[in-house]
Amino acid sequence: MTVRGAAKGSYSRYNQKYNIGFINSDGMEDETQFESVKTLKELSDLFRDFCKENGFKTNTVTYVEAV
């Protein structure tokens, strides 16, 4: 699943910190956190860049959680 798909129902414009759970390249569940996020597009772009830098697929998101 993508960030946009996983964020449905979890995204809140009032929260600016998000945890994203995903499956890493070893097939294990992992998590990363992004702070100061203003829009869903920004969150999606940040995760895409994170995946590109670390060699992860962008469609392995298991959850998006507003913190």
Side-chain angles (χ1 to χ4, degrees):
M1 184 177 324
T2 64
V3 168
R4 288 182 184 270
K8 287 184 180 181
S10 300
Y11 182 79
S12 171
R13 64 182 177 186
Y14 302 109
N15 290 305
Q16 295 184 340
K17 187 185 293 187
Y18 293 90
N19 292 332
I20 298 179
F22 63 98
I23 306 299
N24 66 25
S25 54
D26 294 328
M28 304 294 291
E29 287 194 37
D30 207 342
E31 182 180 83
T32 189
Q33 186 175 83
F34 297 98
E35 297 185 28
S36 301
V37 178
K38 294 180 177 78
T39 65
L40 182 54
K41 181 183 180 327
E42 180 183 12
L43 181 62
S44 183
D45 290 347
L46 288 168
F47 185 69
R48 183 196 66 229
D49 293 345
F50 168 80
C51 288
K52 186 176 182 179
E53 290 172 9
N54 293 286
F56 302 139
K57 294 181 180 180
T58 59
N59 64 347
T60 61
V61 176
T62 56
Y63 65 87
V64 173
E65 172 184 63
V67 182

